[in-house]
Amino acid sequence: MLQYSQLLNKKLCLLKQDLLFIMGYASVLILLCFPALLGAHFVITEIEALNQQPSVRSPQKRSTHDVSAFDVEVYSVKVDCKVTSRFAHNVMSSRAVNRANVSKEANFKVELPKTAFITNFSMTIDEMVYVGVVKEKEVAQKQYEQAVSKGQTAGLVKASGTKMEQFTVSVNVAAFSKVTFELTYEELLKRHRGQYEMLIRVKPKQVVNHFEINVDIYEPQGIHFLDAHGTFITNDLSPLVQKTVTENKGHIFFSPTMDQQRSCPLCDTTLIDGDFIVKYDVNRDQAAGNIQIVNGYFVHFFAPVNLPQISKNVMFVVDESGSMWGNKIRQTREAFLVIMDDVHEDDYFNIITFDHDIRPWKKTLVKATSENIQEAKEIIKKIEPRGREVNKNKIQENVKNAIAGEINLYCLGFGEYLDFNFLEKLSLENSGIARRIYEKSDASLQIQGFYDEVASPLLSKIQMQYPENAIADLTKNTFGQYYNGSEIIVAGHITDNNLQDFAVDVNALGISGEQNLKLETKIPENEESFKSQQYIFGEYTERLWAYLTIQQLLEKRTSGSEDEKNNATSKALQLSLQYNFVTPLTSMVVTKPSEEDSVMIATKPNGEVQEEVLNVHHSQTFVHGYAYMKYVDGDPHFMVPVPAKNDNICFNIDEKPGVIFNLVKDPVTGIVVNAETIGDKKVIPGKKQNTYFGKIAVLNNKLDVKIEVSTQIIKVYYGQKYSYFTWTQVASLKQKSFDVITDKDKTLRVVFEGMAQFVILLHRVWKFHPLHQDYLGFYIIDDHQLSKQTHGLLGQFYSGIDYEVIEIHEGENTDKPDASMLIKGKVLTVTRGWQKEYRKDIKRGEDIPCWFIHNNGTGLIDGVPRDYIVSGIFESK
């Protein structure tokens, strides 16, 4: 295959544009197949409130969730977007109020493009403003880990679909209090198929008192067209989309009233749920492009029009290995058949399929006649997965040697688990682009879309030349090709203060051979000249230069020598810190002014689909999507988080019914938690009897509080007073120093102000079940104010634990490997498994991965399980 690729340049006209498409899966190895898009969609935001459920105000139309579900009311959602010469500065803000008489959790979510950089985040809580600071990722991580060891929490940025990341932060809002969230990020809009596009995703989940989308666009070249619409816009809402356009300014405004937002006249559910899309393009009157100079930085936009298309030599390389089974190969065939209809009659093409063998369709490239196209379609219909995976290192070496800098390589990968870093490196080394194709219903359209973009080359071998000895810090200025409907952007720093005329030479190859395009512009003489241009934010050229430079440096980290990678990393980090960008090298940290150890951290994913970022709510930690809290549930299964390892340790305790264990004991705060085991309704001879916790007591000796929780009733003793309620009640006992709250989801929350917070779950079992009965689960939600003297079956892990896993190998169950664990000076045999966590879904639960310690936690817990047995449910000695 690879020697065959070398024929492309030798056998055909030099002016033709040579393209090589590798199509395939590459799950753990290999490539995938085919084109994607050159970044046009610009998703600005998704803003969402937590615990909001749909409801209607009419008794005849009331749903199962009543209006009380709106305890946390989002009363303001604003999206403010300012675009200056393609560079977008976006501010998303949301305001919420907790109208309940107890604290509630509010959630702020923003979806932003993967190519965007967060530049600021702030929260205003109880009139205190907490502002984010961008720090080197390693520095932020250390600060985060120190906070986690004390039970603190953070924010999240995670991959979210084909081109999106999601920023999420949750905080507890006190009763009758307000919170304001504000997130700012910036991105350079890319031109795709002749237009720029901003996609603003909004999901407020409820009718909002003040909802507003405001977009201001300033383009010195002049606005050619401007359009705005929304996926949720009905005929009634359409007139509310206000659009005004002058010569070089555009304005979009959308702000429906509360009644206009409703999905029906008596509904509390909202129509505002989807994407608000703004599209535009600019005027282009000079072949060599347009230059803008502000504050000593220049930006050159190059997108010539009315050029004839260059004929292409296209080699389609399709992976037929076993990794392409199912939808991947089917969607590849579907897209490939459509693409065949778009191959221009002046183009030459061929098809190669491969697994561990290589199968060319033709011995040479053939012209795209109707006969050849039809024959190729028949071949495509027969493409099926058949072989095994091949060595990706060998692929990389062979492709680079065969292409020898003469062909552009485009790689597409299917699915979430491919080695996308490999595809990206392979493409960047060979002047191409790699894109991930997501296995959705529109996967074939994703493939077609990319081909449509790169299938129309107008120029190749483009070189941009600027005044010598007058420019520094120039971004990339040589390009392999320019495609119809796209745009090339170059930026730099003007170092010659005496320079008056700024001249540009553009040299390229087109259909008629070598082309030379010239452009010259006057440099503004003083600051007043800048102001007279009325830019929306005057420093935009410098920030655009920094943004573009960082993006290109991050690409260089994918390929090149170690020295080149290290140099690119160092420069990208320095610029990220200087311009306050959250990039793969930095994190944003928010620290409460009054609590140095209370940290929130947002880290940008590194391009892969897995949720690799730290998510910390205001009371618990999430890593890789899993809740990091200590808990015991089920038969009884104990879960111990180890944040430093991004993992968990788990163990079971087997005892007879009626035994009371101490779970938490802190002599400093006076907090004690005990739990009593229950068994099944009957004992089956010869079979192990399952035990669960049927009664839990939570004490605070310093506050003289005792709470006894069974599967039937909750009793609260405080001082000389006594209260009780059943699990069927939604109730709240709020005192000065503690709260006891139940809700309809069979959840009991116990909060000791400034000390700790626990949750007890009731698992209901069918009352006529012949064997099982109701039982309880216990979760430590917040324990960062407990003392270092805390102990108990769960409490002993308050200060954290460290371990090392080695020698992972196949166990008795092929799905659960065994390993050796070095912990507390011992070597234990452990098994990889998972346990259920029921806080989010009390019926089905969520599987949390962990390393299972055998023999009742022997080697992990201090002593043996019987050391934790106490004589009474309220014993605290």
Side-chain angles (χ1 to χ4, degrees):
M1 173 189 74
L2 301 166
Q3 292 177 345
Y4 184 72
S5 302
Q6 292 176 316
L7 297 174
L8 293 174
N9 249 10
K10 297 179 180 178
K11 291 188 175 291
L12 296 170
C13 172
L14 180 62
L15 290 180
K16 290 197 172 186
Q17 179 68 38
D18 291 338
L19 304 173
L20 176 64
F21 288 103
I22 292 188
M23 311 165 69
Y25 176 50
S27 170
V28 180
L29 306 166
I30 302 214
L31 319 179
L32 274 171
C33 66
F34 230 82
L37 48 165
L38 267 173
H41 286 117
F42 178 49
V43 182
I44 292 189
T45 183
E46 172 184 345
I47 302 178
E48 183 177 348
L50 200 69
N51 15 331
Q52 310 307 325
Q53 300 291 344
S55 64
V56 294
R57 294 174 294 153
S58 167
Q60 290 77 22
K61 296 186 178 181
R62 186 172 300 277
S63 68
T64 57
H65 302 279
D66 61 21
V67 180
S68 65
F70 295 96
D71 287 336
V72 178
E73 176 191 342
V74 179
Y75 63 90
S76 175
V77 173
K78 291 185 179 181
V79 181
D80 185 67
C81 178
K82 299 186 185 300
V83 183
T84 300
S85 296
R86 294 72 147 171
F87 195 63
H89 177 89
N90 312 286
V91 180
M92 275 60 64
S93 62
S94 179
R95 296 182 177 182
V97 59
N98 178 13
R99 301 197 183 282
N101 60 357
V102 295
S103 63
K104 291 286 183 176
E105 193 175 57
N107 191 21
F108 175 71
K109 295 182 181 178
V110 174
E111 286 199 20
L112 60 155
K114 291 180 179 177
T115 53
F117 293 153
I118 293 174
T119 63
N120 190 41
F121 171 70
S122 66
M123 291 190 308
T124 304
I125 305 173
D126 295 330
E127 299 183 353
M128 293 292 293
V129 180
Y130 310 128
V131 181
V133 177
V134 174
K135 297 186 177 183
E136 183 177 355
K137 181 175 286 188
E138 286 73 15
V139 174
Q141 179 68 17
K142 289 179 181 178
Q143 187 173 353
Y144 167 79
E145 290 173 354
Q146 291 173 359
V148 166
S149 68
K150 300 184 179 181
Q152 303 301 326
T153 55
L156 164 69
V157 179
K158 66 180 181 181
S160 173
T162 57
K163 313 174 196 71
M164 304 299 295
E165 291 168 355
Q166 186 181 90
F167 174 90
T168 303
V169 62
S170 299
V171 295
N172 285 326
V173 182
F176 309 113
S177 295
K178 296 180 179 180
V179 59
T180 299
F181 302 100
E182 186 172 284
L183 181 77
T184 303
Y185 67 88
E186 295 176 344
E187 190 197 22
L188 179 62
L189 303 185
K190 292 186 177 180
R191 190 167 182 252
H192 172 66
R193 298 189 188 182
Q195 64 186 17
Y196 309 97
E197 180 177 291
M198 295 187 297
L199 193 155
I200 305 169
R201 182 159 295 160
V202 285
K203 293 179 177 289
K205 301 294 185 181
Q206 60 177 274
V207 174
V208 178
N209 183 52
H210 185 88
F211 180 89
E212 176 183 306
I213 297 176
N214 188 74
V215 180
D216 286 300
I217 301 172
Y218 178 73
E219 291 288 352
Q221 290 177 246
I223 295 177
H224 181 62
F225 77 88
L226 175 63
D227 186 31
H229 68 279
T231 58
F232 53 83
I233 299 292
T234 62
N235 290 336
D236 292 335
L237 291 179
S238 184
L240 302 180
V241 181
Q242 303 174 22
K243 179 183 72 174
T244 57
V245 181
T246 60
E247 181 180 349
N248 53 19
K249 293 181 181 179
H251 181 70
I252 302 291
F253 186 75
F254 176 66
S255 183
T257 65
M258 294 183 71
D259 286 338
Q260 290 168 334
Q261 296 172 44
R262 300 185 193 280
S263 55
C264 70
L266 296 176
C267 292
D268 286 313
T269 52
T270 177
L271 289 170
I272 311 300
D273 186 359
D275 299 330
F276 188 84
I277 303 164
V278 177
K279 299 180 180 180
Y280 77 96
D281 197 15
V282 301
N283 297 325
R284 305 179 193 279
D285 54 3
Q286 299 187 73
N290 177 267
I291 292 178
Q292 293 169 32
I293 302 172
V294 178
N295 294 343
Y297 285 83
F298 80 91
V299 182
H300 179 199
F301 300 99
F302 179 73
V305 294
N306 301 322
L307 295 176
Q309 180 175 318
I310 301 174
S311 298
K312 305 180 297 301
N313 304 320
V314 185
M315 182 73 72
F316 298 100
V317 183
V318 185
D319 178 6
E320 281 190 314
S321 70
S323 62
M324 289 292 286
W325 280 107
N327 284 335
K328 306 177 191 72
I329 200 69
R330 178 184 60 79
Q331 292 171 328
T332 297
R333 284 195 303 262
E334 290 175 358
F336 205 171
L337 289 171
V338 173
I339 287 169
M340 282 293 101
D341 292 328
D342 295 332
V343 177
H344 195 272
E345 61 182 4
D346 291 332
D347 293 344
Y348 284 74
F349 76 104
N350 200 353
I351 300 170
I352 294 177
T353 58
F354 75 97
D355 40 41
H356 54 282
D357 292 322
I358 297 167
R359 292 173 291 276
W361 170 49
K362 298 288 187 181
K363 293 182 179 180
T364 63
L365 293 167
V366 297
K367 193 171 184 180
T369 64
S370 58
E371 293 81 8
N372 286 334
I373 292 294
Q374 187 58 41
E375 184 180 347
K377 287 183 176 181
E378 295 304 315
I379 294 296
I380 293 167
K381 293 176 184 177
K382 298 176 183 178
I383 294 176
E384 291 287 351
R386 60 183 79 190
R388 61 182 183 267
E389 301 282 358
V390 292
N391 187 291
K392 61 183 180 182
N393 293 327
K394 191 63 176 176
I395 291 176
Q396 183 179 339
E397 177 186 347
N398 288 347
V399 167
K400 189 172 183 178
N401 292 337
I403 285 178
E406 297 295 330
I407 301 171
N408 303 118
L409 175 65
Y410 298 91
C411 296
L412 292 193
F414 265 102
E416 298 184 359
Y417 303 107
L418 68 132
D419 188 346
F420 185 75
N421 288 335
F422 166 61
L423 294 187
E424 186 175 45
K425 184 173 184 178
L426 195 65
S427 293
L428 291 175
E429 285 182 344
N430 297 283
S431 303
I433 300 170
R435 287 292 182 268
R436 186 192 301 271
I437 299 300
Y438 289 80
E439 289 186 78
K440 298 180 179 179
S441 58
D442 69 341
S444 57
L445 295 177
Q446 296 177 51
I447 296 172
Q448 296 167 35
F450 183 72
Y451 179 79
D452 289 344
E453 181 171 348
V454 301
S456 302
L458 304 181
L459 296 172
S460 64
K461 297 185 178 180
I462 304 142
Q463 293 186 330
M464 329 280 271
Q465 298 178 352
Y466 301 92
E468 287 189 38
N469 304 320
I471 302 299
D473 304 320
L474 192 65
T475 61
K476 181 180 178 181
N477 66 326
T478 60
F479 302 88
Q481 58 282 317
Y482 163 69
Y483 297 106
N484 188 32
S486 65
E487 184 174 59
I488 290 174
I489 301 177
V490 180
H493 184 200
I494 301 175
T495 56
D496 186 352
N497 295 328
N498 298 319
L499 190 67
Q500 296 181 350
D501 298 318
F502 192 92
V504 179
D505 282 336
V506 180
N507 296 293
L509 289 178
I511 191 68
S512 58
E514 293 188 7
Q515 297 189 16
N516 178 259
L517 305 173
K518 295 184 179 294
L519 177 65
E520 188 170 310
T521 188
K522 289 285 186 182
I523 296 180
E525 296 181 358
N526 52 49
E527 197 68 27
E528 291 302 315
S529 299
F530 301 142
K531 293 179 181 179
S532 67
Q533 296 177 25
Q534 296 181 330
Y535 287 92
I536 293 177
F537 52 108
E539 79 283 4
Y540 92 95
T541 48
E542 182 177 352
R543 295 192 66 81
L544 189 157
W545 164 82
Y547 172 94
L548 198 58
T549 300
I550 293 171
Q551 291 281 22
Q552 293 174 2
L553 287 170
L554 293 175
E555 287 184 0
K556 288 182 181 179
R557 296 172 68 229
T558 305
S559 59
S561 67
E562 284 303 312
D563 286 343
E564 290 172 336
K565 292 179 182 178
N566 292 337
N567 188 44
T569 299
S570 177
K571 290 182 179 178
L573 173 60
Q574 182 266 321
L575 288 174
S576 299
L577 295 172
Q578 181 179 347
Y579 290 93
N580 217 57
F581 285 141
V582 176
T583 71
L585 303 175
T586 56
S587 299
M588 178 166 285
V589 177
V590 180
T591 304
K592 283 190 177 182
S594 59
E595 303 174 29
E596 292 183 359
D597 291 326
S598 183
V599 175
M600 305 185 68
I601 176 173
T603 303
K604 189 176 182 66
N606 62 6
E608 289 299 294
V609 158
Q610 68 265 20
E611 299 174 7
E612 61 101 9
V613 186
L614 306 171
N615 173 26
V616 183
H617 288 231
H618 211 60
S619 57
Q620 67 194 59
T621 307
F622 278 74
V623 180
H624 296 278
Y626 301 120
Y628 264 34
M629 71 186 99
K630 293 180 278 290
Y631 68 87
V632 55
D633 212 328
D635 177 26
H637 307 301
F638 289 76
M639 181 70 74
V640 179
V642 187
K645 300 291 186 182
N646 290 354
D647 214 337
N648 302 277
I649 294 176
C650 53
F651 62 96
N652 294 350
I653 295 293
D654 294 324
E655 260 294 349
K656 61 184 179 181
V659 175
I660 303 172
F661 287 101
N662 173 245
L663 303 183
V664 179
K665 183 178 180 180
D666 180 11
V668 176
T669 62
I671 292 177
V672 176
V673 181
N674 297 325
E676 182 176 352
T677 58
I678 59 173
D680 290 330
K681 293 178 181 178
K682 63 180 180 179
V683 178
I684 301 177
K687 186 175 181 181
K688 171 183 173 291
Q689 183 180 18
N690 294 323
T691 55
Y692 311 86
F693 285 137
K695 184 182 291 185
I696 296 175
V698 181
L699 299 76
N700 190 315
N701 295 322
K702 297 293 178 69
L703 301 177
D704 195 15
V705 175
K706 296 180 180 179
I707 304 167
E708 182 181 351
V709 183
S710 71
T711 56
Q712 290 83 35
I713 196 170
I714 298 114
K715 302 176 183 177
V716 184
Y717 306 89
Y718 50 109
Q720 302 299 315
K721 299 180 180 180
Y722 165 73
S723 296
Y724 75 93
F725 24 85
T726 67
W727 284 101
T728 59
Q729 293 177 278
V730 177
S732 172
L733 175 63
K734 189 173 181 63
Q735 299 296 306
K736 182 178 180 180
S737 54
F738 74 96
D739 299 335
V740 180
I741 307 143
T742 61
D743 64 27
K744 57 189 175 185
D745 293 325
K746 306 297 183 291
T747 300
L748 171 71
R749 186 182 298 268
V750 179
V751 181
F752 292 112
E753 196 70 32
M755 297 183 192
Q757 184 176 165
F758 309 118
V759 162
I760 299 174
L761 302 181
L762 171 63
H763 295 273
R764 284 289 194 204
V765 177
W766 181 45
K767 64 180 180 179
F768 298 115
H769 194 286
L771 191 63
H772 302 311
Q773 58 180 320
D774 298 349
Y775 64 95
L776 304 173
F778 175 73
Y779 294 77
I780 301 177
I781 304 302
D782 185 1
D783 63 356
H784 72 278
Q785 293 295 337
L786 297 182
S787 76
K788 293 183 179 180
Q789 299 179 41
T790 302
H791 208 260
L793 275 173
L794 280 177
Q796 64 186 289
F797 303 107
Y798 165 77
S799 298
I801 193 168
D802 194 18
Y803 66 88
E804 193 69 36
V805 173
I806 60 174
E807 300 174 355
I808 300 176
H809 57 276
E810 185 174 325
E812 293 183 7
N813 187 330
T814 56
D815 294 332
K816 298 180 179 181
D818 287 344
S820 296
M821 176 179 286
L822 309 180
I823 186 168
K824 290 187 172 182
K826 308 179 187 72
V827 180
L828 307 180
T829 297
V830 295
T831 300
R832 191 62 174 173
W834 57 86
Q835 301 290 0
K836 290 288 189 181
E837 189 267 292
Y838 292 95
R839 278 200 65 221
K840 292 184 179 179
D841 188 340
I842 198 168
K843 291 184 179 180
R844 292 176 293 271
E846 178 183 4
D847 287 332
I848 306 298
C850 60
W851 287 107
F852 181 76
I853 310 292
H854 299 274
N855 303 319
N856 287 341
T858 300
L860 171 67
I861 64 174
D862 295 338
V864 296
R866 298 197 67 83
D867 295 339
Y868 299 87
I869 295 177
V870 295
S871 59
I873 196 69
F874 285 139
E875 182 176 321
S876 58
K877 294 182 180 179

